[in-house]
Amino acid sequence: MAGTDSGTTGANGGQDRPIVIIGASLGGAKAAEELREAGYRGGIVLIGEEHERPYERPPLSKGYLQGKTPREKIYVHPPQWYGEQDVTLRLGTAVASIDPAGHTVTLADDGRIEYHKLLLTTGSVPRRLPVPGADQDGVLYLRRVEDSDRIRAALRPGARIAVVGAGWIGLEVAAAAREAGAEVTVLEALELPLLRVLGREVAQVFADLHRAHGVDLRFGVTVAELTGDGTAVNGVRLGDGTTVAADAVVVGIGISPATGLAEAAGLEVDNGIKTDQQLRTSDPDVFAAGDAANAYHPLFGRHIRVEHWANAVNQPRTAARAMLGQPDAVYDRVPYFFTDQYDLGAEYVGYVEPDGYDQVVFRGDPATREFVAFWLSGGRVRAGMNVNVWDVTDPIRELVRSGRVVDTKALADPGVPLGELAEL
């Protein structure tokens, strides 16, 4: 295939060295899939610490956690796919170090694998709660499928669940807990949920949503200690001395990119593994994608790191083609994510930081939970979020990509098709 590398000769002159992917995740599996679809016939080794074959993580706080999505549906590929595609899948295998100069990966069991190209899809790790009592039984985090299993077991009718952190994970777990009949208290340091992500105007919608479903929301609070009975957690002591009784505490205070291997290998790391627009790191034969990658985005003219499913699906495809030498392999997709909470479904397209917009425009009434919100800067749409309004992500994406100044009155008018605004 034109523009691809057969894989028989590495950039360092070695023969028959495989492409190695560290991180048997959604991203790692999608990279392997793209390599084969692009015509690469060399070896592929996919290494993961977990014993599960690659799976998708969004169901862990949504359908799978709620018992609506069967376990088999979360996996990226059926088990036979890896053999059929001649992908060597090394599960339950930790990587100890990377030697870019020697093009080798050393495993925790002292095994060594030489590589032609290397892709890091190492993902991220949950931030731990740094307070006394946080190591007790019943203190739960959500990242892996077994974490979702443990949380689901705790979501019983009448159970008292405390959720620390009102981000996406915290709110989705709170929704699942309420639907299971549990009593839920959400503890958040800021004045509203998702405040840094959505801003006050849209964050209020999610506060109202959870209150309407019986969640006890407590804002502006700090956690001082997790109390216990000697065997397991039984409450959360707040900074003001009050205690929230809890049979389980779910902590969702954010994630950190898993950059330890990259940093130890001498790769450039800054809020993730820094890459160019082709997902290439500071070493020309090492690439990174997904949660761990802080990639240069040509549309925004800066490095950004996105912690969502769409990046894990799409970035590795670009990295795979870039590893095969395709010069047009550039990652310039507009970021996208989605959430499901109770009867609210939402999709968000674009990228804007807390200080990156000067106006929020609503199309529809937020009080009805059926609307589209747009974040603008200088009259240009930087991001849009459709809430219980469907089939509008494409024109929102085009509005973001175009960078054109829009008529805000037309933007707010449901009678003006978004497609027309995107095509002006």
Side-chain angles (χ1 to χ4, degrees), residues 270-281 288-306 311 315 318 330-332 351:
D270 180 12
N271 182 33
I273 306 166
K274 288 195 76 171
T275 78
D276 63 14
Q277 61 190 12
Q278 289 196 302
L279 290 313
R280 183 182 287 103
T281 71
D291 285 2
N294 186 9
Y296 182 82
H297 199 294
L299 180 63
F300 303 109
R302 52 167 296 182
H303 283 80
I304 66 172
R305 189 172 66 83
V306 178
N311 248 35
Q315 266 194 350
T318 297
V330 171
Y331 193 77
D332 62 356
Y351 180 82

Side-chain angles (χ1 to χ4, degrees), residues 51 244 250 328 381:
H51 292 276
V244 176
V250 180
D328 61 342
V381 175

Side-chain angles (χ1 to χ4, degrees), residues 359-366 368 370-376 379 381 383-385 389 396 399 405-422 424:
Q359 185 179 12
V360 177
V361 173
F362 288 100
R363 171 176 285 224
D365 183 359
T368 67
E370 189 171 317
F371 64 91
V372 183
F374 301 92
W375 289 261
L376 289 81
V381 175
M385 184 177 194
V389 175
I396 294 173
L399 281 169
V405 175
V406 299
D407 180 341
T408 55
K409 288 185 178 179
L411 191 63
D413 185 352
V416 179
L418 287 175
E420 289 185 8
L421 292 175
L424 291 176

